[in-house]
Amino acid sequence: MPSSGKSLPHDSAHGHVTGGARYIDDLPRQAGELWVGFVGSPVASGKIRSLDLSEAREVPGVVCLLTHQDLGGPNHFGPIISDEPFLAEEALAYLTQPVVVIGATTLDALHAARQLVRIECEPLEPILTIDEALSAGSFIGPKRRMTSPGAEDDARFEAAFATAPHTLSGRFFSKGQEQFYFETQAALALPGEAGDVRVISSTQNPTETQAVVAEALGLGMHEVVCECHRMGGGFGGKETQSAIPAVMAAMVARHTGRPARVVLDRHDDMLVTGKRHAYQTDYRVAFDESGRLLAAQMAFYSNGGAFADLSTSVMERTMLHADNAYYVPLMRVTGQVCRTNLPPNTAFRGFGGPQGVAVIENCLEDIARVVGRDPIDVRRTNLYRDGDPQRSVTQYGQIVRDHVLAEIVAELEASSDYRRRREAIDRFNATSQTHCKGLALSTIKFGISFTTKFLNQANALVNLYTDGTVQVSTGGTEMGQGLNTKIRQLVADEFGLAPERVRVMPTTTEKNHNTSPTAASAGTDLNGAAALEACAQIKARMQSYAARLLENTERGLVAAAEHIVIDDGWVYDDRDPDPNNRIEFGLFCAMARRERVDLGARGFFATPGVDYNRDTGRGNPFFYFTTGAAVAEVTIDRFTGELVCDRADLLMDIGRSINPGVDRGQVIGGYIQGVGWVTNEDLCYDSAGRLLSTGPTTYKIPNITDTPRVFNVAFKDNPKHQKNLRQSKAVGEPPLMLGLAVWLAAKNALGSGSDAKVCDLAIPATGEELLNRIEALSSRKPVLIARS
Amino acid sequence: MRDHLVFYLNGQRHTAGASEATLTLSEYLRDGHGSAGRLCGTKIACAEGDCGACTVLVGKPVPGEDRLVYETLDACIAFVFQMDRRHVVTVEGVGGKPETTPATRLTPPQQAMVICHGSQCGYCTPGFVMALHGLAEAASQDVPPKGYSEDELRLGLSGNLCRCTGYEQILEAGRSLAAQTVGPLDQRYDAAAICADFAQLGETSVRLGGSNAPPNGAPNGSIKVLTKGPAHDAAATSGGIFLPATLDELLTHRAAYPSARLVSGATDLGVQRNHRKITIHDVILTTRVPELDRLEVQDGVLHVGAAVSWSRLEAFTRELLPAYHAILTRFGSPQVRNAGSLVGNLANASPIADSIPFHYVACSTLELASVRGVRSVPIADFYQGYKQLDLAPDEVITNLATPLPTQDVALRLYKISKRRDMDISTVTMAFWIERKKDRIDSVRLAAGGVGPTVVRLPRAEAALRDGEFTLEAMRAAGRLAREEITPLTDVRGAAAYRLQLVENLFAKCWHELAGTAAVRA
């Protein structure tokens, strides 16, 4: 019986529930181990005048204080643009930017030393917001452009706006979001005997960590090994930003010859690490009486923080998702990353997609009000239409095919009882003096693949042992998403084994090298395919050997590998199914080894057919799209702005799920994370650039009591999808954007008591934001607080 | 007087002295103190009692019985000295005994979490497992066990955050357990033996460390001298960790060591300590003093002693004071309410404390005791400025006396926070309105989060008094109230938002009392 398609528990579930699963801080203390911490910039922008380490050095237990001068290589790195110093030299680019790394024998000594490092600096006026960066011309990378086929001509593009029955324009704001992985950034560095170093890191990106540590220490990559057993959550926050803590631990290990571990506390982690980018978008849309989009223009600006990190790539995905699931005949999109004095912003589930999707979903909600149609009908009117070449081409030229978007919307409309609830809500709003309700549907079409072509590759190592058990290693990392569980199922099925006989091993760069980060929702797609390719190699050898072994010329069975079946724990020739002529799988493996058959293989996979030219803004960046829709209902207290999510209905096409239990968890978890982004997760900074919300006390991720009482999640079968691993689809990021349904429902609710055509609302729609909008709409007072 | 702590950890007896007493419980567990080895199942994700990843169960003996009552607690902000004569059970200790096979070692909550895909990254999971066990323990107190409702399940887990799952699968795990009986911990451990050991230790005080012997008798009227903190050499006057067993001992010790910290639940102290704002060496624990354990209604007055936890008060006021009870269910988290206390909250003097506006409008009175005697202070007089109290250095808050509202009083309490549960309020408000027919007979209003202390709103009160109870009157009073407060802008909200909230709550209150609210509060 294949295990693919079954909801096997997470392969660490037992360890999770018993507390036996280990994270970096749980690993046994090593003899002589040092605690590692850092001291960062006291200002968001400035220059170091002097650095005094003398007092800190006197603290008993302090073993080393390291600065950029202690690096073994050049002091800069970056996944795309190498503009970020490991440790600040003279220029200080953001508050808490690491300057000094400390190694100490106790945590108390470390904290004491941190207090005694004296950094004297000349503060400069920081650039904190997008507006300030625009004024100062402070940017990262070039402004990128994407123009849909047909929209190249200025006159034609402007004519579309000039002649359209309706147009809307505005400026849209979305704030950032903290990843809030539960395990903070952490790494343990173990010095080797010849100057080499092994780093055990909570990272989505072991190869990058290996490379960065090697660079920082002046070592060859072959002298550094990076391991990751599991992460206590990643969400993109450990794609690049796990590197600096790993470098800190490795520097201390290298300089002292002692094991060294860094585990950031929550406060430091939130202060120093990058987050989802805040965006500001100028948009205009042209549409007809039915709400059908005729043309759209969007100028995206993101707050990139002090260094490039992944910001340009994040912006690229925003531009590639400016259409979401809707066909826009004429579209122009630009994207510019702003350089500011905040920590460099980085990957977070959705990777720029949410910020793009939010803008067009906001437009569609407003369009529906202008033309007086239900928003669900306006969305339906604008959906990409499968098989219709007139309504299938994206603004970057890729054809959206083999999808069931229309069916998803129709099915969800029925299953969520949308029309009846719309009427009930209208009645409620007509009489309620205290609350308003809103209902909204939103969709997602999320492109799967790294938009940077070379990252779409993976390798895997499969070791088959002589008892018929298997170890699989890939470059994929387990952060809770169930990658290992799925790979285990795939490999078990490939050998026809019970999943218990397959074990997915901790990720290390000595088994799998030159790997891509576990990101872009593609972890299973890439690493699973590589693992299967390795399995196929081994199986071919086994079949070849089995064909000879089971050959029986007397009975007319000539050796024929194509007739060898490896399934259900047995190896046999399908022309001779007699149970007595079957060989038990484990026994067969032992025999194969004795006959010098190679029972291990390294598999490789590269996604076919993806390519994208970022200079022209054209190409086929995506292997396929994961799609879905959500309907959400909310109730808002008109006096306080408090919002309650009453009900959510989600329907997604995730292909043929390898593990529906795991995938359902991704859908629900992603959705609620998206709801957090659009409701209560509110990053507040002071005028000096210091983050004020630095822990769960002040930064409010969704609580269990915030989840809807009625919560339906279903999957839509899509027989047209024949691509990818076992016809599955990636699932990690797409559902996050369905959380926008809650925000749209809030917007819908706000408009209910007003004749205003457009109800401006920013992300996140906190109680404060909602109350401000309610007050502004009801009294036509200016909005109480200008948000940036 | 004992000079060491005695507690049980997963069934094993531990003793601890002064140096270990001031560790947080999570440090004690994770660093492997005592004989337990490193117990790393208790995770630290925030170190401020706001995520529940460190949830453990703490069992307290029931006097005169061979059983313990277990409650959840955040180990990251609890101190070891609070564990004296308690049984701490961690995630490593709920399961089957080590000799059982791995498959049978999982408890029903653990099994349910595995089957329902209740874990993803796994970091918060032990905390949820312990919270589920806590719910089961509470349900097992009833005979037959009553299980828990959906509301109780959600509230019971509201002290635990999860970033991966979106919670639905955890709720499914919880629901799947509601019908079945999870074996109570008293079946897992020999409760009789633990209780017998604790009984043998007796109700004596415990003192750990401290640099001189406890003083004999009361200081001779030298309160004034004692208040001059800086004149005392801190080391020379350290009282160490003191767990008094009687009020006399508490007051005597307090008089001798006025700079010692009075601790009840430590839910704020633990946070400050983890943020390295304070060090803990000179402490008096108030929760073991029987005289402070008062929770009763006498002649229409509710008495809440300093040793009464929020969760006990929450249960006690369910029918007695439903509006107050409703606010309490949103106070901190279940874990925090199991540790913290009303009196601790009063002493902490936060202007955004959720409970205080009610006590302002109810005209509660604090009872303060010292070796010099006892006095009462009306709550509004007790707070003199931001964290400035009418409390002498040798005084201790022993009790809060609150006249209960009569049938004529309409009481509405509000807590507005960014997130419904486990959040600190942006604004709190209390409306105490007595009506005769449609006229307002008397009115008391108080607001929190709008200035350095909770405040009454005298101008708004005056405007409403003797007037008709109409929406227009309430709206007008709301506009007046805006002028009586001076809120700040901070991470929880802008000043303008707070002003608007206070104004709007008048209208909201009217609709709720008039029965015209579209959604029941």
Side-chain angles (χ1 to χ4, degrees), chain A residues 579-640:
Chain A
N580 293 321
N581 293 330
R582 298 177 170 207
I583 305 171
E584 193 276 322
F585 184 84
L587 181 64
F588 178 82
C589 291
M591 292 164 70
R593 179 182 178 232
R594 295 178 73 86
E595 292 302 316
R596 300 188 294 177
V597 176
D598 182 1
L599 295 177
R602 181 179 179 283
F604 182 78
F605 176 76
T607 311
V610 291
D611 208 355
Y612 174 69
N613 183 332
R614 56 183 53 119
D615 294 319
T616 62
R618 289 290 166 80
N620 288 297
F622 302 121
F623 190 33
Y624 62 90
F625 297 94
T626 294
T627 62
V631 170
E633 180 178 334
V634 303
T635 304
I636 299 170
D637 186 317
R638 286 180 182 277
F639 299 115
T640 63

Side-chain angles (χ1 to χ4, degrees), chain B residues 380-394:
Chain B
D381 299 339
F382 183 67
Y383 296 107
Q384 300 173 330
Y386 181 69
K387 301 229 172 192
Q388 285 185 314
L389 310 177
D390 177 11
L391 185 71
D394 64 340

